Amino acid sequence: MLNFTKFERVNPNKRDVLQRLKDFNEVYEVFEKNKAKEQSDRCMQCGDPYCHSKCPLHNFIPAWLKQTAEKNLELAFALSNETSPFPEILGKICPHDVLCEGDCSLNTGHGAVSIGAVETHINEQAFEKGMKPKFAPINLNKKVAIIGSGPAGISAATFLLRKGIAVEMFERDDRAGGLLTYGIPGFKLDKSSVERRINWLLEAGMRLHVNCEIGKDKTIDDLEKEFDAIFLGIGATKGKMAKIEGEEAPNVHLAIDFLKKIQKRNFGQEVEDFIDVSDKNVVVIGGGDTAMDCVRTSVRERAKSVKCLYRRDEANMPGSKKEVVNAKEEGVEYIFNASPKAIKLKNNKAVAIEVQKTALSEPDETGRQKVQIVEGSEYLEEADVIIMALGFSPEVPTFLKEAKVDINSWGGIEINDKYQTSNDKYFAGGDCQRGAHLAVTAAADGREAAKEIIKALS
């Protein structure tokens, strides 16, 4: 260990940009064994590891880095999976630069350990050698229903099944995975990784019901009669519009609709009202990871031009920095300090966005700068397709009222410190109770809620 002066930080190799634009295959390659050992060997093994503290799952990062450096794959795999429901997935999609790697002690000048890349390597290498996560035999005395099959739901199911508690998962869509399946494009996360984890849960005894909407295909009364506890992991899937004139035009779309329809097409399904951006001028409004997913998807769909419109500067973009770099490499143009004022229509279709230039104020006591409009700075940005990537809010399904589950003013499910709702049979975690956030925080919520459910059922 402590070889950070001998080996520089390296990132996984990326596929050539001209090749990766031809498909939706993953951009990053998995570290080979020697590279993973070298990068793990850079870890300082801090006595108080900031990487562990910053990780929402509090993964045993220094421990599995050490085992990787010492080529003990079996123990590294066990440690990696002890705290995380799907480490190989989070190793690819987490914003490591602002979480574990962002707090690595080596950031003072040597460059953080490539934690995410090693995390993915450990698990993919272990899977190749036939290793699989372990689960306890099912105890049919207790049954838990999980509504929603996204990161929070998968995590809750994983940790419940590890304790032998019977689980049934209900998903209103045609496939399990939630945002892992339909919200994150394949070039960031191959869908076989999600299917593999779901299949292992099924092998462990979980029952999965797809195309099953609670309150419609299955009543709350039946659910409460059949199960000892119910976990709500229904996410935050309601896209936000900019609330500007002209956004009702048929060629103005929400990000989730665009991404989901592309993924369904990539699965080989027939898609109604497919959003075709080929040979069109596409403008994506927003600066987060979803916006990056939309612009990078658009270039793969052979758009004529792709622009990202963001009201702050590049330094203030909430999206992962590597996604911004990848998008630039792939030909996306960024327009910073620009805010949409209105959408101009012709024959009831959007043809341009009226844009106002912005400036940022001095930081307030929170460190946040306010956006200020520059008077008289309006201009038009041509657009054939406009995609709104302005974040998500929770949906409020009607069954919550029937189940006597309280929600707050913005639609989030209210929980106590035990992840329990106002109806003590229901627990909740992930975006539906904290608002749109990261897959890793949803996974952490699912795990902690599972622990509380286990205590309650005991």
Side-chain angles (χ1 to χ4, degrees):
M1 308 303 285
L2 303 177
N3 276 325
F4 56 88
T5 58
K6 183 177 177 182
F7 303 117
E8 292 183 352
R9 172 194 164 90
V10 297
N11 295 314
N13 292 331
K14 289 191 283 190
R15 296 170 60 213
D16 178 78
V17 65
L18 295 179
Q19 291 300 315
R20 71 192 198 222
L21 284 176
K22 295 177 181 178
D23 55 45
F24 280 80
N25 296 335
E26 287 186 4
V27 167
Y28 288 95
E29 299 175 3
V30 178
F31 272 159
E32 49 86 22
K33 185 162 57 175
N34 289 334
K35 188 62 67 179
K37 179 188 183 305
E38 281 182 8
Q39 290 302 297
S40 299
D41 222 5
R42 299 181 69 247
C43 177
M44 295 172 63
Q45 294 295 306
C46 304
D48 182 12
Y50 299 129
C51 59
H52 165 82
S53 301
K54 191 63 175 285
C55 172
L57 285 163
H58 301 307
N59 287 330
F60 304 139
I61 296 169
W64 48 252
L65 286 173
K66 181 180 181 186
Q67 297 309 317
T68 304
E70 295 177 356
K71 296 186 176 181
N72 189 340
L73 179 62
E74 188 171 353
L75 183 51
F77 176 70
L79 289 166
S80 173
N81 281 268
E82 179 68 21
T83 52
S84 178
F86 34 75
E88 73 286 359
I89 291 174
L90 295 174
K92 296 175 182 178
I93 66 172
C94 264
H96 304 98
D97 55 337
V98 295
L99 293 176
C100 54
E101 293 179 15
D103 269 27
C104 177
S105 298
L106 291 177
N107 271 323
T108 52
H110 295 278
V113 176
S114 305
I115 295 170
V118 174
E119 184 177 32
T120 297
H121 160 84
I122 291 168
N123 288 274
E124 295 296 348
Q125 186 83 4
F127 299 153
E128 282 186 19
K129 294 184 179 298
M131 298 182 203
K132 291 164 57 173
K134 296 177 181 178
F135 297 94
I138 292 292
N139 173 3
L140 292 176
N141 292 330
K142 301 292 182 183
K143 287 175 64 180
V144 176
I146 294 178
I147 304 176
S149 67
I154 294 173
S155 182
T158 298
F159 288 94
L160 288 167
L161 288 165
R162 286 186 188 182
K163 293 294 184 181
I165 293 176
V167 169
E168 290 193 33
M169 182 178 283
F170 298 87
E171 170 56 55
R172 68 179 179 179
D173 222 320
D174 59 348
R175 289 173 186 254
L179 77 87
L180 299 178
T181 295
Y182 283 124
I184 298 175
F187 51 78
K188 286 169 64 176
L189 178 65
D190 190 279
K191 303 311 161 189
S192 63
S193 299
V194 185
E195 293 170 4
R196 180 171 56 192
R197 282 286 172 177
I198 294 293
N199 287 336
W200 279 332
L201 296 179
L202 294 173
E203 287 178 15
M206 183 184 82
R207 294 183 64 192
L208 173 64
H209 307 270
V210 295
N211 295 312
C212 184
E213 186 173 346
I214 302 302
K216 179 182 176 183
D217 301 302
K218 190 173 185 67
T219 69
I220 284 296
D221 284 345
D222 287 342
L223 205 67
E224 293 186 354
K225 287 175 185 174
E226 292 177 32
F227 296 94
D228 301 287
I230 298 161
F231 175 76
L232 302 170
I234 56 178
T237 57
K238 186 178 179 181
K240 297 179 181 179
M241 299 295 276
K243 297 181 180 178
I244 56 177
E245 180 186 342
E247 67 181 16
E248 70 283 353
N251 53 335
V252 178
H253 307 282
L254 289 168
I256 191 62
D257 294 337
F258 176 59
L259 295 172
K260 188 172 183 178
K261 288 178 179 181
I262 295 291
Q263 185 56 56
K264 281 181 176 286
R265 189 278 315 275
N266 289 349
F267 280 140
Q269 299 172 214
E270 288 190 16
V271 181
E272 289 185 15
D273 301 320
F274 183 76
I275 302 169
D276 183 7
V277 300
S278 61
D279 203 33
K280 292 182 173 69
N281 297 307
V282 178
V283 176
V284 176
I285 301 174
D289 281 343
T290 300
M292 301 307 101
D293 293 342
C294 289
V295 294
R296 298 183 66 200
T297 295
S298 296
V299 294
R300 283 164 174 77
E301 289 293 298
R302 294 173 174 77
K304 183 178 180 180
S305 70
V306 181
K307 296 179 180 180
C308 180
L309 197 72
Y310 182 55
R311 64 190 185 127
R312 297 177 182 271
D313 58 18
E314 184 169 0
N316 281 282
M317 287 187 81
S320 174
K321 299 298 180 285
K322 71 178 182 180
E323 294 306 313
V324 177
V325 170
N326 287 336
K328 287 181 177 179
E329 290 176 353
E330 293 166 3
V332 174
E333 180 183 345
Y334 285 87
I335 304 172
F336 295 110
N337 296 109
S339 179
K341 181 180 180 181
I343 294 173
K344 298 300 181 181
L345 307 181
K346 184 177 181 181
N347 298 326
N348 293 321
K349 291 189 72 175
V351 293
I353 304 172
E354 184 178 8
V355 177
Q356 296 174 303
K357 290 187 178 296
T358 65
L360 298 180
S361 68
E362 291 297 316
D364 60 19
E365 61 276 4
T366 68
R368 188 69 166 162
Q369 296 167 292
K370 292 182 179 178
V371 176
Q372 299 173 329
I373 300 297
V374 177
E375 293 299 327
S377 63
E378 292 86 353
Y379 72 96
L380 293 180
E381 195 70 58
E382 183 183 353
D384 302 313
V385 175
I386 299 168
I387 299 172
M388 300 286 187
L390 298 171
F392 303 90
S393 56
E395 292 184 42
V396 184
T398 54
F399 74 77
L400 292 181
K401 185 175 182 180
E402 190 180 346
K404 296 181 174 58
V405 171
D406 290 345
I407 59 171
N408 56 31
S409 59
W410 49 268
I413 296 172
E414 293 190 339
I415 60 170
N416 60 20
D417 59 357
K418 299 182 185 299
Y419 290 83
Q420 215 161 18
T421 71
S422 52
N423 180 337
D424 60 11
K425 193 167 189 173
Y426 288 78
F427 297 74
D431 292 359
C432 67
Q433 61 88 15
R434 67 165 65 240
H437 210 259
L438 303 172
V440 66
T441 49
D445 284 348
R447 182 188 69 187
E448 296 309 302
K451 291 179 181 178
E452 295 298 338
I453 292 170
I454 291 163
K455 288 179 187 175
L457 297 185
S458 299

